[in-house]
Amino acid sequence: MTAQLDTKGMKCPMPIIKAKNALKDLNGGDELRIEATDPGSVADFAAFCRTTGNDLVDSTEEGGVFVFVIRKAA
């Protein structure tokens, strides 16, 4: 399952907080796709995944929108 989360227009730390809350509702192995516009979110999501044990599957940017795919740890 892949859940979607739109955090465009939100500044740090809101995208991380919203992602953390969304991940609570997912099962291990499920993915969360996040869209963000805050350039700081690139470093924030990398650090978030390192500290929580979740897997940052993908991190891309297109037209000022950063897209992250996080797989929840089992």
Side-chain angles (χ1 to χ4, degrees):
M1 178 186 131
T2 301
Q4 304 286 328
L5 180 63
D6 182 354
T7 66
K8 293 189 295 286
M10 296 181 190
K11 297 290 184 197
C12 180
M14 287 312 296
I16 294 292
I17 292 170
K18 295 278 189 182
K20 186 176 180 180
N21 288 336
L23 283 166
K24 287 180 186 174
D25 295 333
L26 300 180
N27 296 316
D30 287 349
E31 293 183 348
L32 177 63
R33 182 181 184 275
I34 305 142
E35 292 185 351
T37 50
D38 182 2
S41 63
V42 176
D44 291 345
F45 278 108
F48 172 75
C49 288
R50 270 196 313 275
T51 59
T52 60
N54 296 304
D55 191 22
L56 183 60
V57 177
D58 197 21
S59 175
T60 58
E61 184 270 331
E62 187 174 317
V65 177
F66 301 91
V67 179
F68 308 95
V69 178
I70 296 173
R71 182 176 301 120
K72 184 173 179 175

